[in-house]
Amino acid sequence: MKFALALSGRIDALNQRLSVIADWLVFLSCMVSAGNAFSRYAFSVSSNAWLEIQWYMFGALVMLGASYTLKKNEHVRVDIVYSNLPTRWQIGIDIFGGILFLLPATVILAYLSWPVFRNSWALHEFSSNAGGLLRWPIKIFLPIGFALLSLQGLSELIKRVAMLTGHMKADLHYERPLQ
């Protein structure tokens, strides 16, 4: 269990470091959006490339941020039943969901998205929009993002098993969104 928890810690640290990139991509995407809107209305100058780079940054931040969101236990969930269950049941649900749903889905999506990127790279695919960008730089984020999400799912599974076996304090804190 010691090795597994060390592996989990490394995965958590990796996704935490990559979340900083996702944070910056939010800021940069907003700046590009504002700059594009300003140049369009102030100077009547616009480019599809500016719109596409904004979409690329948003896609990259989602794919890089998903694993960190899972690490922070802030993913979307049906909280009505889960929050009222005892901690051991919550851990059991997390393990069951991770093994049966999360890991198979993310591993399959990482595997299936690799050829999408590879083909785009091989064909030197460009956007069909006038002034559009290369497509492979954004498509690489699909297999990377799903692989990172798979790794974080494995990390969460390790932590849940450690919680059940008493090797780790059970901390399933979840802050419901204010709505």
Side-chain angles (χ1 to χ4, degrees):
M1 185 57 41
K2 203 173 214 175
F3 171 77
L5 284 171
L7 175 63
S8 174
R10 283 183 180 70
I11 293 168
D12 289 354
L14 170 67
N15 283 318
Q16 180 137 4
R17 275 189 236 114
L18 291 174
S19 74
V20 173
I21 296 170
D23 289 345
W24 276 102
L25 286 171
V26 171
F27 174 73
L28 292 173
S29 180
C30 290
M31 296 305 295
V32 167
S33 176
N36 191 34
F38 178 77
S39 71
R40 185 172 58 242
Y41 291 111
F43 307 113
S44 295
V45 175
S46 186
S47 167
N48 284 334
W50 287 108
L51 288 173
E52 287 189 14
I53 195 68
Q54 180 184 338
W55 299 335
Y56 284 18
M57 286 188 282
F58 183 75
L61 79 89
V62 167
M63 295 310 294
L64 292 176
S67 54
Y68 183 69
T69 302
L70 181 60
K71 176 197 175 301
K72 297 293 287 181
N73 200 28
E74 293 184 358
H75 48 41
V76 176
R77 63 164 37 120
V78 179
D79 193 44
I80 297 168
V81 175
Y82 184 87
S83 64
N84 294 317
L85 293 174
T87 303
R88 290 185 68 77
W89 281 53
Q90 290 176 340
I91 294 169
I93 289 171
D94 289 346
I95 291 171
F96 177 77
I99 291 171
L100 197 65
F101 300 110
L102 176 70
L103 288 176
T106 57
V107 168
I108 289 168
L109 287 167
Y111 176 77
L112 292 176
S113 63
W114 179 255
V116 172
F117 157 72
R118 192 183 66 232
N119 291 340
S120 182
W121 170 278
L123 296 172
H124 207 64
E125 180 185 9
F126 267 87
S127 167
S128 61
N129 294 322
L133 304 175
L134 274 170
R135 288 286 170 109
W136 69 261
I138 189 56
K139 288 185 178 182
I140 189 62
F141 282 98
L142 290 168
I144 289 172
F146 286 119
L148 290 169
L149 195 52
S150 298
L151 286 173
Q152 192 61 48
L154 176 64
S155 174
E156 296 306 312
L157 191 58
I158 289 168
K159 289 186 273 190
R160 296 312 188 273
V161 169
M163 288 175 197
L164 269 184
T165 59
H167 290 91
M168 184 178 179
K169 182 179 177 269
D171 181 19
L172 300 177
H173 174 73
Y174 172 69
E175 193 167 317
R176 293 175 56 185
L178 301 173
Q179 296 179 6

